Amino acid sequence: MSSTYTEVYPARFENLDRVRDFVAELAEKCGLEPAAVYAVQLAVDEAFTNIIEHAYGGESEEKIECMCQIEKDALVITLRDCGKPFDPSAVPEPDFEADLEEREVGGLGLYFIHQLMDDVQFIFVDQPETGKTCNLLRMVKRKEK
Amino acid sequence: MSSTYTEVYPARFENLDRVRDFVAELAEKCGLEPAAVYAVQLAVDEAFTNIIEHAYGGESEEKIECMCQIEKDALVITLRDCGKPFDPSAVPEPDFEADLEEREVGGLGLYFIHQLMDDVQFIFVDQPETGKTCNLLRMVKRKEK
Amino acid sequence: MDITTTQYKHSDLVKVNGRIDSATAPQLAKALDDITNAGRYRIILDLEEVEFMSSAGLRVLIGTQKTCKRYNRGEVILASVPKRIYDALELAGFVPLFRFFDNVLDAVGSI
Amino acid sequence: MDITTTQYKHSDLVKVNGRIDSATAPQLAKALDDITNAGRYRIILDLEEVEFMSSAGLRVLIGTQKTCKRYNRGEVILASVPKRIYDALELAGFVPLFRFFDNVLDAVGSI
Ligand SMILES: Nc1ncnc2c1ncn2[C@@H]1O[C@H](COP(=O)(O)OP(=O)(O)O)[C@@H](O)[C@H]1O
Ligand SMILES: Nc1ncnc2c1ncn2[C@@H]1O[C@H](COP(=O)(O)OP(=O)(O)O)[C@@H](O)[C@H]1O
């Protein structure tokens, strides 16, 4: 048996507070440790920000859906947008060897998401009726044994 | 009706702690305000120090007697030593106009005693049996109306 | 997020309260730019009251650190960093790029 | 009386706990002399935890202030001075001879 909770937000940074609170509450309900709850908040914040910045090309009234499933041993979070798709495998890892001057100021978001969550999957779904693609980002955080 | 309490200490700086505690307790018992209790402690500390430094010419096993009388509206403290007498009227006031370089580093003790207590009297008593003089410093701190 | 800035003789102390994310990071960037634009490059960031910081905040930190360290004219020092925020700095590989102090007093005294 | 000394980049912080009287003042004088003898003349005295100070303590303060201010090479700053101690400084006419700060952080930042 699993429960599902969904909220939909306009693609605006001011909604980061809300989506972080939403997933934190469910992560606690799910029984995750405080450090894991924070990790979930950080990963969702990064993913939500990327959708605004990259999929929608900036803040707009376009929608971002956040669906949370509480399972017996994990929290599954799926973010859904209908902006620009991209190829995650083409994104390079940050260069941790670079010294200060060479360090890129960005490029940490995807890396954080992968590090903080136990399972991360990008799924791009064609929607024939609208002729658009919708993008799903499915992230799993498992409870510690 | 008045009560009298007396303690006698060797003329050593380590006893300052004790004599300050002694007079503070009696000042409280007498009903003085906390600021007045502190003033009494400071005045007694200065007087006790002067006796060691000037009357006895340094620390020694000579005695300093502290007598406290709790009266209806005041605390009367008398310090008694049998060291060198001196002429209080010959001691100049500190020079408050002097700037930093000219300020004397000492010379504050007597001034503090006069400022902090309501009544201050030096009494020098010849003791024919020992051929010595004993010195009394009588200080009164009155309760606020 | 709230920012309080205090100008000291050898440094500027910037105390941040609340959440640093994509919504609020520009405000932090502005506060830090105001200082470096005034030719002051020794900045102490007091993070004690920061509850959340995303990579948007890290980006501001690293950008300001680059500006401050250029020509050896200064640095950004991090003070009173909460465990969670430190973990994120570590994940980003930023720990070797900053000096850290447990308390603001020692940080201000060190610069 | 307890004395804790911290050497900062631009100053030395001296925190005193307890009672400064004729018995303990020499210990404070020694701690301050150690600093000025090392050629360091910017001293912050944190008096927050001082319960009592007689003219023996004031004498140490003024002596060190003279040493520090000579040739314009520094100063003694007083931080977190309790009311009772401030009253004694005022009675002695010492208030104009020192800078006072409500907290140690601002004092360290000012020097
Ligand atoms: N949701 C997304 N939609 C489109 N492109 C994305 C998305 N997320 C990440 N990207 C691409 O991956 C790159 C790296 O993303 P990230 O690690 O979050 O760093 P940053 O956002 O700072 O560039 C981005 O610059 C962008 O090109
Ligand atoms: N109890 C005393 N016995 C003898 N001389 C005293 C006594 N108290 C004060 N004096 C004299 O008065 C002077 C001023 O005393 P005081 O104001 O306490 O300053 P200080 O002790 O720092 O010199 C002393 O230097 C000393 O010559």
Side-chain angles (χ1 to χ4, degrees):
Chain A
M1 216 220 72
S2 81
S3 329
T4 302
Y5 305 82
T6 305
E7 287 196 353
V8 179
Y9 311 87
R12 303 208 156 272
F13 292 131
E14 69 194 30
N15 294 313
L16 283 167
D17 256 353
R18 250 160 261 156
V19 71
R20 283 197 311 261
D21 286 349
F22 174 58
V23 297
E25 210 175 291
L26 295 171
E28 277 168 24
K29 199 184 176 87
C30 176
L32 293 174
E33 300 290 321
V37 173
Y38 187 84
V40 166
Q41 286 188 294
L42 184 47
V44 166
D45 179 291
E46 298 292 347
F48 198 96
T49 293
N50 276 349
I51 293 170
I52 297 176
E53 286 183 344
H54 305 300
Y56 288 131
E59 289 188 297
S60 72
E61 292 306 317
E62 300 286 342
K63 298 292 178 277
I64 303 176
E65 184 185 293
C66 177
M67 189 178 84
C68 297
Q69 289 162 266
I70 296 183
E71 310 210 322
K72 210 170 66 80
D73 59 351
L75 179 70
V76 182
I77 298 173
T78 308
L79 288 181
R80 181 172 171 280
D81 69 85
C82 298
K84 226 170 5 105
F86 79 114
D87 179 3
S89 71
V91 177
E93 270 216 356
D95 177 4
F96 293 109
E97 297 308 311
D99 62 13
L100 181 66
E101 271 307 321
E102 281 75 43
R103 266 313 284 265
E104 291 294 333
V105 291
L108 287 170
L110 275 185
Y111 176 76
F112 271 22
I113 295 169
H114 282 285
Q115 293 295 313
L116 297 168
M117 303 299 275
D118 295 308
D119 196 29
V120 177
Q121 242 182 304
F122 284 92
I123 308 158
F124 303 94
V125 188
D126 287 324
Q127 308 240 287
E129 68 274 23
T130 59
K132 289 219 278 184
T133 308
C134 281
N135 314 308
L136 301 179
L137 168 51
R138 186 174 179 277
M139 303 179 282
V140 179
K141 188 73 182 175
R142 272 187 265 283
K143 286 195 236 181
E144 283 185 48
K145 297 280 143 51
Chain B
M1 215 215 76
S2 80
S3 329
T4 302
Y5 305 82
T6 304
E7 288 198 351
V8 179
Y9 311 88
R12 304 208 156 274
F13 293 130
E14 69 195 30
N15 293 314
L16 284 168
D17 256 354
R18 250 161 262 156
V19 70
R20 282 198 311 261
D21 286 349
F22 175 57
V23 297
E25 210 176 289
L26 295 172
E28 277 167 24
K29 201 185 175 84
C30 176
L32 293 175
E33 300 291 319
V37 173
Y38 186 85
V40 166
Q41 286 188 293
L42 185 45
V44 167
D45 178 290
E46 299 291 346
F48 198 97
T49 293
N50 275 350
I51 293 169
I52 297 176
E53 288 183 343
H54 304 301
Y56 288 131
E59 290 188 295
S60 73
E61 292 307 316
E62 302 286 342
K63 298 293 178 274
I64 303 175
E65 184 186 292
C66 177
M67 187 179 83
C68 298
Q69 289 162 266
I70 296 182
E71 311 212 320
K72 210 171 67 75
D73 58 352
L75 180 69
V76 181
I77 299 173
T78 308
L79 288 181
R80 181 173 171 279
D81 69 85
C82 297
K84 226 171 5 101
F86 78 116
D87 178 4
S89 69
V91 176
E93 271 216 354
D95 177 4
F96 293 111
E97 297 307 311
D99 62 11
L100 182 64
E101 271 307 321
E102 281 76 43
R103 267 312 286 265
E104 292 293 334
V105 290
L108 287 169
L110 276 186
Y111 176 76
F112 272 20
I113 294 168
H114 282 285
Q115 292 296 313
L116 297 166
M117 303 300 274
D118 294 308
D119 196 29
V120 176
Q121 244 181 300
F122 285 92
I123 307 158
F124 303 95
V125 188
D126 287 324
Q127 308 240 287
E129 67 274 24
T130 59
K132 287 218 280 184
T133 308
C134 280
N135 315 308
L136 302 178
L137 168 52
R138 186 173 179 276
M139 302 180 282
V140 179
K141 187 74 181 175
R142 271 188 265 284
K143 286 195 234 178
E144 282 185 51
K145 297 281 141 49
Chain C
M1 189 190 63
D2 278 328
I3 299 178
T4 319
T5 299
T6 314
Q7 183 174 324
Y8 287 129
K9 186 150 175 203
H10 301 279
S11 61
D12 287 80
L13 174 64
V14 178
K15 179 167 181 59
V16 186
N17 279 57
R19 301 162 156 201
I20 309 176
D21 62 12
S22 304
T24 59
Q27 215 180 307
L28 177 61
K30 162 109 183 33
L32 296 172
D33 287 350
D34 284 351
I35 295 170
T36 55
N37 288 338
R40 301 177 59 86
Y41 302 103
R42 285 183 294 226
I43 299 178
I44 293 149
L45 261 178
D46 176 359
L47 300 182
E48 180 162 24
E49 302 293 337
V50 173
E51 296 148 27
F52 178 87
M53 182 158 69
S54 72
S55 69
L58 297 177
R59 198 177 312 185
V60 173
L61 262 51
I62 202 80
T64 308
Q65 184 67 302
K66 283 188 186 187
T67 305
C68 287
K69 285 210 166 168
R70 201 163 294 145
Y71 318 122
N72 244 341
R73 62 192 171 186
E75 64 174 314
V76 175
I77 286 184
L78 304 181
S80 308
V81 182
K83 171 93 173 64
R84 296 279 153 76
I85 311 298
Y86 188 87
D87 290 346
L89 283 157
E90 207 161 30
L91 202 56
F94 283 6
V95 168
L97 307 178
F98 293 88
R99 282 204 291 157
F100 290 83
F101 284 88
D102 287 346
N103 65 73
V104 171
L105 180 59
D106 288 345
V108 170
S110 79
I111 202 166
Chain D
M1 190 191 61
D2 277 328
I3 298 178
T4 320
T5 299
T6 314
Q7 182 172 326
Y8 287 130
K9 186 151 176 204
H10 302 279
S11 61
D12 287 79
L13 175 64
V14 178
K15 181 169 178 60
V16 186
N17 280 54
R19 302 163 155 201
I20 310 175
D21 61 13
S22 304
T24 59
Q27 215 180 307
L28 177 61
K30 162 112 183 33
L32 296 172
D33 287 350
D34 284 351
I35 295 170
T36 55
N37 288 338
R40 302 176 57 86
Y41 302 103
R42 283 181 296 224
I43 299 178
I44 293 149
L45 261 179
D46 176 359
L47 300 181
E48 180 161 23
E49 302 294 337
V50 173
E51 295 148 27
F52 179 86
M53 182 159 69
S54 72
S55 69
L58 297 177
R59 197 177 312 184
V60 174
L61 262 50
I62 202 79
T64 308
Q65 183 68 303
K66 283 188 186 187
T67 305
C68 287
K69 285 210 167 167
R70 200 163 295 145
Y71 318 122
N72 243 341
R73 61 194 172 185
E75 64 175 315
V76 175
I77 286 183
L78 304 181
S80 308
V81 183
K83 171 93 174 65
R84 297 279 152 77
I85 312 299
Y86 187 87
D87 289 347
L89 284 156
E90 207 162 27
L91 201 56
F94 283 6
V95 169
L97 307 178
F98 294 88
R99 282 203 291 157
F100 290 83
F101 284 88
D102 287 346
N103 65 73
V104 170
L105 179 57
D106 288 345
V108 171
S110 79
I111 203 166

